[in-house]
Amino acid sequence: MNNAERKMKRRRGQSALVLSALCACLLMLIVLNLAIGDENIGLWDVMKSLAGQGDAGVRFLVMEFRMPRILLAVLAGGALSIAGVVAQSLMKNPLAAPDTLGITGGAGLGAVIVTVLFSQQSPLLLTGAAFSGSVLAAALVYLLAYRNGISPVRLALVGIAVNAFCHSGIQLLISRGSPNVNNALIWLNGSLWGRDWDDVLSLFIWCCLVIPPIWFAAKPLDIIKSGDGIAVGLGIRLERTRFLLLAGAVLLTAVAVTAVGTIGFIGLMAPHIARKLAGTETRILIPVSALVGGIVLLIADAAGRGLVPPLEIPAGLIAAIIGGPYFIYLLRREARQGRA
């Protein structure tokens, strides 16, 4: 066995260890989250409820109220994180993410427009509106940031501006006093409150449709990260591959925002944490980022429910408190590297 094979075997072993540790951490957080709320439940009672035993009232609370929001947090965090991996890899930009590129704000604005204007909304209509809004926002960011090329810092600043514009539109729609304003506030705050199994099933189906093709495109994505010339020389249809992968990232963002609202910074933080844990190989980076994103959103949701019960702080606000300083750190680091 030569050195290259030994390194590859060692790297695969490390990746398997990281994935196993993250899965164990995720399962532990799921159980803890089931116990946390305005009415705390003992861990033993939670375990009995998961086994279909114990008090019927506790079992109903665990399985019908808390379990759907927890699974939705895992799915939404994973979807936003994978969208962040795709955006950062395709643009070779560590500041790229669904929220810094305006995709999250555009998706939220599209969903709020449908929520406010129509008293009855089908999941397909909401997803279509969120997808359309995210596509328009991403296109606007690209057009405004392009000046003989794309600067990472300029792209991030323009994305923040477009995101702020979209949130202003959300606030304007809410201020009109529509009868559906309470539903619209979900998109502004990024809350997991009141979710049910239908929401989980819808997001799960979309994730099953979109994530596998992105994962199977991991090798072309690694080649694209090495340079456009190398990718073209190896026979990759560059523009087509970029378009399809970006469309997948936009769709993942749209369905996540449709399910849980505009939760920011998950797609920015999780890929960076995953690279520290498992390296840059996209085939490994995608599942590790998804697990990290689910864990971060679970922590944010648990903090929002457990800090000042019975008051519930939306998970989106907790995520912003965590992610805002981290984004400033990345922005300053990129600015210093640009000057260097």
Side-chain angles (χ1 to χ4, degrees):
M1 183 182 294
N2 58 36
N3 288 334
E5 290 175 340
R6 280 197 294 269
K7 287 181 180 179
M8 183 175 293
K9 185 176 180 180
R10 188 184 309 116
R11 188 164 57 245
R12 287 177 178 173
Q14 291 172 348
S15 299
L17 181 62
V18 168
L19 285 169
S20 300
L22 288 174
C23 286
C25 180
L26 184 65
L27 290 174
M28 181 183 69
L29 282 172
I30 287 174
V31 174
L32 289 176
N33 274 34
L34 289 172
I36 295 173
D38 54 353
E39 180 181 341
N40 292 327
I41 301 173
L43 291 178
W44 180 243
D45 291 327
V46 169
M47 300 303 295
K48 288 195 294 185
S49 298
L50 293 175
Q53 302 174 0
D55 182 76
V58 173
R59 191 165 65 246
F60 183 81
L61 176 63
V62 167
M63 299 305 298
E64 298 301 324
F65 284 94
R66 296 186 180 177
M67 183 62 81
R69 70 181 293 164
I70 288 169
L71 294 180
L72 205 62
V74 174
L75 290 171
L80 292 172
S81 301
I82 293 173
V85 170
V86 172
Q88 291 172 13
S89 299
L90 286 179
M91 298 183 181
K92 306 179 187 69
N93 182 354
L95 299 176
D99 37 317
T100 60
L101 295 179
I103 300 175
T104 302
L109 179 58
V112 168
I113 289 173
V114 170
T115 303
V116 169
L117 296 183
F118 301 98
S119 57
Q120 298 292 329
Q121 314 94 25
S122 68
L124 187 61
L125 178 62
L126 278 174
T127 302
F131 181 74
S132 301
S134 59
V135 168
L136 291 174
L140 182 60
V141 169
Y142 184 85
L143 290 173
L144 293 175
Y146 188 86
R147 295 289 185 277
N148 298 320
I150 294 292
S151 163
V153 174
R154 183 167 62 242
L155 187 71
L157 293 176
V158 172
I160 291 171
V162 171
N163 218 36
F165 174 80
C166 292
H167 279 284
S168 297
I170 293 173
Q171 292 280 10
L172 179 62
L173 289 169
I174 290 174
S175 67
R176 295 180 59 190
S178 166
N180 300 321
V181 67
N182 289 333
N183 293 331
L185 285 171
I186 294 173
W187 311 111
L188 181 62
N189 294 322
S191 174
L192 291 158
W193 181 84
R195 298 303 191 270
D196 57 28
W197 286 105
D198 290 338
D199 298 308
V200 176
L201 180 61
S202 177
L203 183 54
F204 177 74
I205 290 172
W206 279 110
C207 287
C208 289
L209 291 174
V210 180
I211 292 176
I214 293 176
W215 188 80
F216 283 118
K219 189 172 182 180
L221 194 53
D222 280 329
I223 297 172
I224 290 173
K225 286 191 292 185
S226 301
D228 293 356
I230 295 174
V232 172
L234 291 173
I236 292 177
R237 300 172 66 179
L238 191 58
E239 295 306 321
R240 178 176 177 270
T241 303
R242 272 180 174 159
F243 175 79
L244 292 175
L245 284 170
L246 279 175
V250 170
L251 185 55
L252 280 178
T253 303
V255 296
V257 170
T258 302
V260 301
T262 53
I263 295 179
F265 296 107
I266 299 292
L268 177 70
M269 292 187 296
H272 286 282
I273 297 172
R275 287 188 192 95
K276 296 287 187 183
L277 295 173
T280 59
E281 186 182 355
T282 306
R283 184 176 62 88
I284 302 300
L285 187 60
I286 286 175
V288 172
S289 294
L291 288 169
V292 171
I295 288 170
V296 171
L297 191 49
L298 272 181
I299 292 172
D301 186 44
R305 288 187 292 132
L307 285 176
V308 284
L311 178 65
E312 182 172 320
I313 303 172
L317 297 181
I318 302 294
I321 292 172
I322 298 171
Y326 188 72
F327 174 72
I328 293 172
Y329 158 74
L330 288 176
L331 193 63
R332 289 173 60 86
R333 189 186 71 180
E334 290 302 304
R336 286 197 301 269
Q337 291 177 354
R339 286 197 300 269

